[in-house]
Amino acid sequence: MLVHAIETLSGLSDLKDSYLTKHQQNVCLYSAVLLKTLHLPGDLFETIRQSALLHDIGKIGIPNSILFRPGRLTHNEWEIMRLHPVTGAELLSNRNGNLNPFVNNEVINGVKSHHERWDGAGYPDGLKGEDIPLVARIIAVADAYDAMTSNRPYRKALPKEEAAKEIIRCSGKQFDPRVVALFLNTNVTF
Ligand SMILES: [Fe+2]
């Protein structure tokens, strides 16, 4: 029941952008492959899976003129785009601040923190290193890999090997080096 509710909610992004739904499904798949190597307890596995499926749900609040703009975003447009992790987290919480009964706190934290960077230069809170929830550190790598290996209207997909090189280049800066090492050991990248 819960899994169906999460999948339905994730699929709502299809109304806005079919790429978004596919992207969330791919990030969920890559996260799941990575998690298999970690031998995590079942509940944490499910938390990360759900968070990956919902990580960009806040983009349904971004105006189409910004979300679908092919060129470079202006500073103001970029500021609006950067709101999507917080919008997503708020969407999954209820109005008086108590957590929605069917989405747990760790799922919401993963959504909110998936654009934080290992070096502290990310958003929305500038969290650094292990202050970033593990859920979000895993989603960040899977998210970047899927974004780079997907065709978009404004650029062609990178080959898997090139995307993997870029993930390695950003290890210890954008990404948790241990998550990168695990990701490169999966059969996703090669
Ligand atoms: Fe995102």
Side-chain angles (χ1 to χ4, degrees):
M1 172 62 193
L2 172 63
V3 172
H4 290 312
I6 298 280
E7 285 173 357
T8 301
L9 187 55
S10 175
L12 282 179
S13 56
D14 223 20
L15 297 172
K16 180 82 170 176
D17 179 3
S18 57
Y19 166 75
L20 203 50
T21 309
K22 183 77 185 138
H23 171 63
Q24 292 186 129
Q25 288 167 348
N26 285 347
V27 171
C28 178
L29 178 71
Y30 295 150
S31 299
V33 171
L34 195 155
L35 290 169
K36 286 217 168 106
T37 68
L38 284 176
H39 306 294
L40 295 170
D43 55 342
L44 188 53
F45 184 93
E46 190 51 29
T47 290
I48 296 176
R49 221 185 62 81
Q50 291 176 16
S51 197
L53 263 183
L54 295 169
H55 75 279
D56 268 344
I57 196 76
K59 283 190 177 172
I60 64 175
I62 305 283
N64 287 358
S65 59
I66 297 175
L67 191 63
F68 298 120
R69 183 168 164 171
R72 221 172 234 282
L73 297 179
T74 65
H75 177 75
N76 285 347
E77 288 169 337
W78 186 235
E79 287 297 310
I80 291 168
M81 189 64 118
R82 282 162 57 105
L83 294 175
H84 77 269
V86 171
T87 304
E90 286 174 351
L91 185 77
L92 299 172
S93 308
N94 72 20
R95 286 173 190 276
N96 61 16
N98 296 323
L99 297 177
N100 189 312
F102 79 86
V103 182
N104 80 39
N105 201 14
E106 288 178 75
V107 172
I108 295 173
N109 286 341
V111 171
K112 188 180 178 191
S113 299
H114 75 274
H115 283 292
E116 298 290 359
R117 290 175 49 116
W118 184 253
D119 61 9
Y123 61 93
D125 297 315
L127 299 179
K128 190 173 183 179
E130 292 188 359
D131 287 343
I132 304 166
L134 175 64
V135 179
R137 281 181 266 146
I138 288 172
I139 292 172
V141 173
D143 182 18
Y145 183 76
D146 184 59
M148 286 190 281
T149 54
S150 298
N151 276 315
R152 303 295 288 137
Y154 47 88
R155 59 149 178 79
K156 288 191 97 173
L158 281 181
K160 285 182 170 187
E161 295 77 10
E162 290 299 312
K165 276 186 199 162
E166 184 61 15
I167 297 277
I168 293 166
R169 193 183 69 78
C170 296
S171 177
K173 292 176 239 165
Q174 185 172 350
F175 307 122
D176 178 346
R178 282 166 301 176
V179 174
V180 171
L182 288 167
F183 190 68
L184 296 173
N185 275 336
T186 68
N187 59 3
V188 169
T189 46
F190 297 104

